[in-house]
Amino acid sequence: MYDTIVVGAGPAGMTAALYAGRSNLKVALLERGIYGGQMNNTAEIENYPGYEHISGPALAEKMFEPLEKFGVEHLFGTMTKLELDGPIKKIHTEDGILEAKTVILAMGAKHRLLGIPGEDTYNSRGVSYCAVCDGAFFRGQNLLVVGGGDSAVEEALFLTQFAETVTIVHRRDQLRAQKVIQDRAFANEKIKFIWDSVVEEIQGDDLRVQEVVIKNVKTGEVSQQAFGGVFIYVGLDAMTESVTDLGITDEAGWIITDQDMATTIPGVFAIGDVRQKQLRQITTAVGEGAQAGQGVYNYLTEHAN
Ligand code: FAD
Ligand code: NAP
């Protein structure tokens, strides 16, 4: 029986586990993959205070290191269901059921798919969702990046170190990305833009991506253009499949909490990207992690009998 189980070892979950561990609680951190979450997909983080810049995996390592010192147990597995009959929370995994007095949900978000023909067929054969993981395989090629947010523009910049050119195709004529990131992209000679346009199909031969069908949403004009790779960054979906039956999510699947990170279910907290909120960042994730780590301590103190 744990005092709390934190589900997801991204920056939010690791911080919550740190705070709960420092309060001398019995804490488990359940993660289905490698700790660090989405931070593992980015080479350069420039907006985490205290570091001028640091790679995502390096920051993940630094967040993970102190957890052992405070007795946090690391469990490998995927939460498939959260059962809430009675005061004890039962976390179902493929390997069995874990029990805790409180749960902190920190499952984060996953990249959204475009859902167009060819996307699945050429996944890992020219279609990628992770420039840091796959960029080096595309040396000297002409690449297409889909999207206009921070991820698309920042990762397009990252890809310029390998690619001949990087073209960003965006469905509007203005980027959503932060101004500082936009300015860098506009100043980079390798980056081109296709505005007001969407990708309709990704085509190739038996082996790899070769062409992309692009439609201008204003003029209706359709063109076929050659690209060696397509990197897709069109936003995020909540990783909440395992808790959608609990009535704590909004229509889009994000978890609703109060300002103390508590859901409407007593003893169940949610933090980080998985929450319904405006700003999905590492800084906001760790702040919410701290609040929930302290929150479970307060909850357990109040419900001690
Ligand atoms: P996540 O990082 O998504 O971690 C969630 C964890 O939960 C994952 O490890 C996942 O495997 C695990 N998990 C999910 N479901 C389950 C389950 N059922 N059972 C067990 N484990 C589960 N933010 C910045 O502030 N600065 C940046 O420079 C920056 N760059 C970015 C670049 C890219 C390409 C991307 C994709 C994001 C970037 N972000 C950046 C955003 C930032 O990474 C996220 O806001 C942050 O990681 C969210 O943290 P989190 O802990 O809430 O969730
Ligand atoms: P995002 O901010 O939601 O942006 C998604 C982009 O994709 C938008 O420009 C959107 O267009 C476009 N888009 C959505 N659906 C589309 C579709 N079906 N077809 C074509 N285009 C589509 O997502 P993100 O860029 O992945 O960022 C996610 C979160 O991580 C954000 O909170 C972001 O701030 C954070 N992040 C931060 C940093 C950083 O701080 N350096 C870096 C990366 C990510 P519209 O603009 O028209 O909606």
Side-chain angles (χ1 to χ4, degrees), residues 122-144:
Y122 292 105
N123 189 0
S124 302
R125 296 195 290 143
V127 171
S128 171
Y129 304 86
C130 181
V132 175
C133 321
D134 302 330
F137 298 119
F138 293 85
R139 277 179 205 282
Q141 304 210 29
N142 295 312
L143 302 180
L144 185 69

Side-chain angles (χ1 to χ4, degrees), residues 102-228:
T102 63
V103 179
I104 300 176
L105 302 171
M107 293 90 76
K110 61 175 182 289
H111 60 75
R112 189 176 291 152
L113 303 179
L114 267 178
I116 55 168
E119 182 179 19
D120 188 36
T121 313
Y122 292 105
N123 189 0
S124 302
R125 296 195 290 143
V127 171
S128 171
Y129 304 86
C130 181
V132 175
C133 321
D134 302 330
F137 298 119
F138 293 85
R139 277 179 205 282
Q141 304 210 29
N142 295 312
L143 302 180
L144 185 69
V145 171
V146 189
D150 287 340
S151 294
V153 183
E154 205 167 60
E155 300 314 308
L157 281 159
F158 175 81
L159 287 168
T160 58
Q161 64 188 301
F162 311 109
E164 180 72 21
T165 64
V166 179
T167 302
I168 296 176
V169 58
H170 183 37
R171 63 185 179 182
R172 295 186 288 133
D173 61 1
Q174 279 188 327
L175 297 172
R176 179 181 290 276
Q178 297 164 51
K179 177 97 173 42
V180 62
I181 300 174
Q182 291 193 24
D183 289 346
R184 273 182 216 159
F186 291 138
N188 191 309
E189 286 179 356
K190 282 193 174 181
I191 297 187
K192 305 173 184 183
F193 292 88
I194 302 176
W195 300 110
D196 297 316
S197 298
V198 293
V199 177
E200 288 203 319
E201 185 173 351
I202 298 167
Q203 301 174 338
D205 59 14
D206 287 348
L207 295 175
R208 295 193 57 78
V209 165
Q210 296 196 316
E211 291 193 323
V212 172
V213 178
I214 295 174
K215 180 180 178 182
N216 183 304
V217 292
K218 285 196 171 153
T219 64
E221 187 192 340
V222 176
S223 62
Q224 206 155 356
Q225 305 192 27
F227 290 103

Side-chain angles (χ1 to χ4, degrees), residues 7-14 30-48 77-80 106-111 129-132 150-152 154-155 178 181 233 236 239-242 271-275 277 279-286 288:
V7 186
M14 288 194 283
L30 177 69
E31 169 59 53
R32 58 177 196 151
I34 184 174
Y35 58 81
Q38 293 172 68
M39 292 194 298
N40 290 312
N41 295 342
T42 189
E44 282 283 317
I45 294 167
E46 293 186 330
N47 53 0
Y48 192 74
T78 303
M79 178 176 74
T80 51
M107 293 90 76
K110 61 175 182 289
H111 60 75
Y129 304 86
C130 181
V132 175
D150 287 340
S151 294
E154 205 167 60
E155 300 314 308
Q178 297 164 51
I181 300 174
Y233 290 103
L236 302 171
M239 295 275 278
T240 45
E241 305 86 10
S242 51
I271 53 175
D273 273 16
V274 81
R275 285 180 64 230
K277 64 174 182 175
L279 189 60
R280 294 196 166 84
Q281 297 272 287
I282 301 162
T283 46
T284 55
V286 301
E288 293 163 21

